[in-house]
């Protein structure tokens, strides 16, 4: 038997080995055997129509997707550490050129997050491919096509139709490039109109080539132009030209990713579809009521610092009270309430005005401009221009302290036009006649049963000149320059945002995020400061709008029937945007003879 001391000397080292050495070895073994973390890929569908705000209709808020909602989802993916990559299924996307650039810029931010981005196209044109080039790789369906064929701008002219209807467009314009009357008075573009449109398309095309070159290795702007001249491409041709990286069906792409070690694709969660209420039961009627008037979500306690985000989307029209209000137009009454709230609330430190408008009523534009002036005196106002901020859209923007636009924003168009449609021939053709008794030399100025008399034309020209000079003067004041400098770039000419910045009509290039960042800096806030964004005008449910209409103290002027139909009737609302625009402008001409508007759509495809 060993002495006690010897036994203690033997046992202690063994004890220490068991408690200190073996656990370390076991921990190392556990680490070696533990499964490595799974690289999670997420599917994301990028398609459909995206607007600044959800439009209100007879049945409440539409299902239209918003850009801010899209950007929140993209930010959530970008900031999610569990996501290693995103598969973007890019389909038909209804979006303007400037908004398209804003989405592309948001996708570019993923590069800093070091997440793989994969674009999947069944087929695609200029818009889809512009987004796809922001990705690390582009996959095209084997039987798909890549319709990369360049840009075109189309203007529809109505003179021939008006002549067949025996309608005369008696219109005048102020500004060499103010071509708003040409669709009604000509069958083709004037030289000035063609010069303006060519300049727009040249700049937008150069922007497209630059983005393609930035996104595709080995393709320069010059090569991109050569490739576009060869388009459209079959899937095989697109791969050979290195415009896409692989040809696969979507399930094959998913299989390829899932077969990669430690990689898994997470399926999108499908939204639960609501059941159609049973209208034959009381419970069904209650369900319908809840759908049209959803309960308000509990709001978190507002931050001490707030920014007001005011949306101005659609044509600018005079005030009227419609039984079915909609957010797709801009009226002074609505914007006035929004700016008054922003000025009165001390928690609101600055205002961002998001403008997406081709203009409209000169008087309504001036009333809104006045609200911007009053607000700018008290709090910083920053304008974020979307697809359009032209003519009246620029008018309501020019008093802001800072103007931000996308390179592809259509802006400027500082000019006016006016006139009326003489429907006498159409009336007579369908068997209608009018007899007019007047007192006053110019009493028939607003009549649709004849053209302007000589003295009436003189008065319209005088009003147009006054409005134009006032427009240029106020633009010069807002831009802190001279009348002559603004007049030189005005004349009704439309510019891209990139051109407008070079000319001093806008201050910065960027999107809504850029404008919000500038607003924070203007009031001394940093990224670490909590800031709430208050969206104005506040969207209200269908029943709230009806009750407001019933309880309105002041008797309003009902919207003309054509405009109500164009805004509300589901069949008419689906017609081509051009015809919706025609109805809107004809409605405007019933009220005013001088307007600041871009009465045609510039469709970039």
């Amino acid at each position: 038997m060993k002495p006690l001391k010897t036994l203690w000397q033997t046992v202690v080292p063994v004890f220490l080995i068991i408690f200190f050495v073996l656990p370390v070895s076991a921990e190392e073994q556990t680490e070696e055997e533990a499964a490595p973390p799974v690289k999670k890929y997420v599917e994301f569908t990028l398609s459909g129509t995206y607007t600044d705000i959800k439009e209100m209709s007879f049945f409440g808020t539409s299902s239209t997707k918003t850009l801010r909602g899209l950007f929140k989802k993209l930010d959530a993916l970008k900031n999610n550490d569990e996501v290693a990559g995103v598969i973007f299924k890019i389909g038909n996307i209804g979006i303007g050129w400037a908004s398209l650039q804003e989405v592309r810029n948001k996708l570019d931010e993923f590069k800093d997050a070091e997440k793989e981005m994969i674009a999947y196209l069944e087929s695609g044109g200029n818009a889809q491919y512009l987004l796809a080039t922001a990705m690390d790789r582009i996959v095209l369906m084997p039987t798909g096509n890549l319709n990369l064929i360049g840009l075109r701008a189309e203007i529809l002219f109505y003179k021939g139709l008006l002549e067949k209807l025996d309608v005369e467009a008696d219109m005048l314009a102020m500004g060499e490039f103010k071509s708003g009357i040409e669709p009604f008075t000509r069958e083709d573009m004037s030289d000035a109109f063609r010069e303006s449109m060519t300049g727009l398309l040249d700049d937008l095309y150069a922007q497209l080539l630059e983005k393609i070159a930035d996104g595709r290795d080995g393709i320069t702007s010059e090569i991109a132009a050569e490739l576009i001249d060869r388009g459209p491409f079959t899937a095989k041709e697109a791969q050979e030209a290195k415009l896409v990286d692989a040809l696969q069906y979507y399930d094959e792409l998913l299989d390829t990713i899932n077969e990669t070690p430690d990689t898994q694709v997470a399926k999108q969660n499908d939204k639960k579809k609501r059941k159609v209420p049973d209208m034959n039961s009381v419970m069904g009627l209650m369900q319908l009521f809840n759908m049209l008037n959803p309960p308000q979500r509990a709001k978190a306690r507002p931050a001490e610092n707030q920014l007001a985000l005011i949306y101005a989307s659609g044509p600018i029209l005079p005030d009227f009270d419609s039984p079915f209000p909609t957010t797709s137009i801009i009226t002074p009454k609505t914007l006035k309430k929004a700016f008054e709230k922003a000025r009165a609330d001390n928690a609101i430190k600055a205002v961002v005005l998001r403008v997406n408008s081709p203009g409209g009523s000169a008087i309504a534009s001036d009333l809104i401009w006045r609200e911007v002036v009053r607000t700018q005196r008290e709090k910083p106002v920053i304008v974020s221009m979307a697809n359009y901020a032209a003519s009246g859209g620029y008018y309501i923007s020019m008093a802001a302290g800072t103007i931000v636009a996308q390179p592809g924003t259509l802006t400027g168009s500082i000019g006016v036009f006016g006139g009326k449609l003489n429907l006498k021939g159409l009336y007579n053709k369908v068997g209608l006649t009018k007899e007019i008794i007047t007192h006053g030399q110019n009493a028939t100025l607003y009549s649709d049963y004849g053209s302007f008399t000589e003295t009436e034309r003189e008065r319209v020209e005088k009003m147009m000149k006054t409005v134009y000079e006032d427009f240029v003067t106020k633009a010069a004041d807002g831009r802190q320059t001279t009348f002559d400098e603004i007049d030189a770039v005005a004349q009704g000419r439309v510019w891209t945002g990139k051109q407008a910045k070079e000319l001093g009509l806008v201050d910065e290039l960027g999107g809504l995020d850029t404008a919000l960042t500038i607003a924070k800096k203007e009031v001394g806030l940093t990224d670490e400061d909590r800031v709430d964004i208050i969206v104005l005008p506040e969207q209200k449910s269908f029943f709230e709008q009806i009750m407001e209409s019933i309880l309105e103290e002041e008797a309003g002027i009902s919207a003309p029937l054509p405009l109500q139909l164009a805004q509300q009737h589901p069949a008419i609302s689906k017609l081509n945007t051009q015809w919706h625009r025609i109805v809107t402008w004809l409605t405007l001409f019933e009220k005013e003879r001088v307007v600041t508007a871009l009465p045609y759509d510039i469709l970039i495809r």
Side-chain angles (χ1 to χ4, degrees):
M1 186 173 178
K2 294 183 180 180
L4 184 62
K5 181 177 180 181
T6 305
L7 182 63
W8 180 253
Q9 290 175 341
T10 304
V11 171
V12 169
V14 174
F15 180 82
L16 292 175
I17 291 173
I18 293 173
F19 280 86
F20 291 96
V21 179
L22 291 183
V24 173
S25 301
E27 183 178 346
E28 290 175 353
Q29 185 177 3
T30 303
E31 289 179 353
E32 290 176 0
E33 294 177 355
V38 175
K39 295 180 181 178
K40 180 180 176 183
Y41 277 65
V42 177
E43 297 174 291
F44 192 98
T45 299
L46 193 56
S47 65
T49 300
Y50 294 90
T51 58
D52 273 336
I53 51 178
K54 287 183 178 292
E55 297 184 356
M56 302 297 292
S57 66
F58 181 86
F59 293 106
T61 306
S62 73
S63 59
T64 305
K65 295 175 286 188
T66 64
L67 285 173
R68 285 193 73 212
L70 171 63
F71 294 162
K72 286 180 180 179
K73 292 178 182 178
L74 293 176
D75 283 338
L77 283 177
K78 182 186 66 175
N79 298 324
N80 190 339
D81 294 334
E82 295 181 358
V83 175
V86 184
I87 307 168
F88 288 94
K89 298 172 66 176
I90 304 175
N92 291 327
I93 185 165
I95 199 169
W97 196 254
S99 295
L100 192 68
Q101 293 177 330
E102 199 160 359
V103 176
R104 167 62 193 264
N105 292 340
K106 180 61 69 172
L107 293 173
D108 286 340
E109 294 178 8
F110 272 79
K111 296 176 181 177
D112 296 332
E114 297 182 352
K115 301 180 189 295
E116 184 181 17
M117 293 191 295
I118 304 172
Y120 183 80
L121 302 171
E122 292 181 353
S123 63
N126 299 317
Q128 290 78 18
Y129 192 69
L130 179 65
L131 297 180
T133 54
M135 316 292 177
D136 297 298
R137 52 179 162 139
I138 303 175
V139 179
L140 180 64
M141 190 172 78
T143 55
N145 297 318
L146 187 60
N147 295 309
L148 193 62
I149 57 175
L151 304 181
R152 73 178 187 274
E154 297 182 353
I155 303 296
L156 187 63
F157 291 83
Y158 321 117
K159 181 183 178 183
L161 173 62
L162 296 179
E163 288 179 346
K164 291 182 183 297
L165 296 175
D166 214 354
V167 174
E168 178 190 357
D170 194 357
M171 296 184 175
L172 309 92
M174 184 64 62
E176 180 184 357
F177 296 93
K178 194 61 179 178
S179 50
I181 66 173
E182 292 193 16
F184 302 97
T185 61
R186 294 177 59 94
E187 295 178 346
D188 55 9
M189 296 181 183
S190 65
D191 291 340
F193 193 4
R194 187 175 299 278
E195 178 185 342
S196 177
M197 291 303 302
T198 301
L200 284 178
L201 209 59
D202 286 348
D203 194 42
L204 293 175
Y205 187 58
Q207 293 176 30
L208 174 63
L209 297 178
E210 182 181 355
K211 284 297 183 182
I212 293 175
D214 287 344
R216 300 299 294 171
D217 292 337
I219 296 182
T220 63
S221 295
E222 293 75 19
I223 294 175
E226 294 174 1
L227 289 171
I228 287 175
D229 288 340
R230 288 164 45 190
F233 299 86
T234 65
K236 185 177 180 181
E237 290 172 337
Q239 186 181 32
E240 291 173 347
K242 297 183 179 179
L243 291 169
V244 302
D245 299 293
L247 305 180
Q248 291 177 312
Y249 289 100
Y250 191 66
D251 61 288
E252 292 178 320
L253 171 62
L254 296 183
D255 289 342
T256 302
I257 296 174
N258 285 323
E259 289 170 0
T260 304
D262 309 325
T263 303
Q264 180 181 355
V265 178
K267 293 288 185 181
Q268 286 181 315
N269 293 324
D270 296 330
K271 293 183 178 179
K272 295 182 179 179
K273 294 183 178 180
R274 288 184 178 181
K275 293 183 179 180
V276 178
D278 180 8
M279 302 304 293
N280 295 318
S281 67
V282 176
M283 184 62 68
L285 293 174
M286 293 299 296
Q287 289 176 352
L288 176 63
F289 180 84
N290 289 332
M291 289 173 65
L292 296 179
N293 192 31
Q296 297 292 326
R297 295 180 180 177
K299 295 182 179 179
R301 184 177 180 181
E304 294 182 1
N305 298 315
Q306 300 174 3
L307 300 178
L309 175 55
I310 298 178
Y311 282 104
S313 299
I316 302 173
L317 298 179
D319 288 325
F320 63 82
D321 291 324
S322 167
F324 306 119
T326 171
T327 55
S328 61
I329 59 173
I330 304 169
T331 61
K333 179 180 177 181
T334 303
L335 268 293
K336 186 174 188 294
K337 288 181 179 179
F339 278 106
E340 284 178 343
K341 179 176 177 58
R343 290 196 299 268
D345 193 337
N346 293 330
I348 295 177
K349 307 302 182 183
V351 176
V352 173
L353 175 61
R354 174 74 166 184
V355 179
N356 190 26
S357 173
S361 163
I363 294 175
S365 298
D366 193 62
L367 289 171
I368 297 170
W369 168 86
R370 180 61 184 170
E371 291 303 312
V372 176
V373 170
R374 294 180 64 191
T375 307
Q376 177 63 37
R377 289 172 180 170
E378 299 182 24
K379 301 176 181 182
V381 179
I382 293 86
V383 163
S384 170
M385 292 180 169
N387 297 309
Y388 287 95
S391 204
Y394 189 81
Y395 199 122
I396 67 175
S397 304
M398 60 191 182
T402 305
I403 299 177
V404 181
Q406 285 289 351
T409 298
L410 300 183
T411 187
S413 190
I414 301 173
V416 299
F417 71 92
K420 65 178 180 178
L421 294 179
N422 175 8
L423 304 180
K424 182 177 181 179
L426 178 61
Y427 286 147
N428 294 341
K429 180 173 289 189
V430 298
L432 297 175
T433 58
K434 284 186 181 182
E435 282 202 38
I436 301 175
I437 301 174
T438 65
H439 282 290
Q441 182 174 255
N442 301 322
T444 60
L445 190 148
Y446 296 106
S447 172
D448 62 359
Y449 202 67
S451 300
F452 291 128
T453 65
E454 183 176 345
T455 57
E456 287 171 351
R457 186 178 297 276
E458 289 177 358
R459 297 312 304 160
V460 172
E461 288 179 341
K462 175 65 175 177
M463 288 189 294
M464 288 173 54
K465 183 177 181 181
T466 300
V467 173
Y468 176 75
E469 290 178 348
D470 189 51
F471 195 165
V472 174
T473 298
K474 289 174 177 174
D477 290 342
R479 297 281 82 204
Q480 299 181 348
T481 185
T482 65
F483 180 97
D484 290 341
E485 288 179 341
I486 294 295
D487 187 43
V489 298
Q491 299 294 322
R493 181 156 184 171
V494 184
W495 305 99
T496 66
K498 181 181 177 182
Q499 293 168 333
K501 183 178 185 303
E502 295 169 353
L503 297 171
L505 295 176
V506 305
D507 301 293
E508 301 288 343
L509 295 180
L512 181 57
D513 285 348
T514 304
L516 291 170
T517 299
I518 292 173
K520 291 179 183 179
K521 291 181 179 179
E522 286 279 328
V523 294
L525 298 174
T526 66
D527 292 336
E528 287 72 29
D529 294 320
R530 184 191 163 194
V531 178
D532 282 347
I533 297 176
I534 309 301
V535 177
L536 301 171
E538 296 178 356
Q539 286 189 294
K540 299 177 181 177
S541 69
F542 167 73
F543 285 104
E544 286 178 314
Q545 296 179 67
I546 291 296
M547 291 303 297
E548 280 194 1
S549 178
I550 293 174
L551 298 175
E552 186 72 41
E553 294 181 2
E554 298 179 0
I557 302 174
S558 296
L561 180 60
L563 181 58
Q564 290 189 30
L565 290 175
Q567 296 283 357
Q568 300 298 333
H569 196 284
I572 294 180
S573 66
K574 292 181 180 179
L575 291 177
N576 188 281
T577 309
Q578 288 278 3
W579 296 105
H580 178 231
R581 182 66 59 82
I582 294 172
V583 174
T584 301
W585 297 142
L586 292 182
T587 300
L588 179 59
F589 275 126
E590 290 181 10
K591 294 179 174 292
E592 298 186 25
R593 289 294 176 264
V594 180
V595 298
T596 53
L598 197 67
Y600 46 78
D601 279 323
I602 301 177
L603 301 176
I604 307 298
R605 294 287 186 264

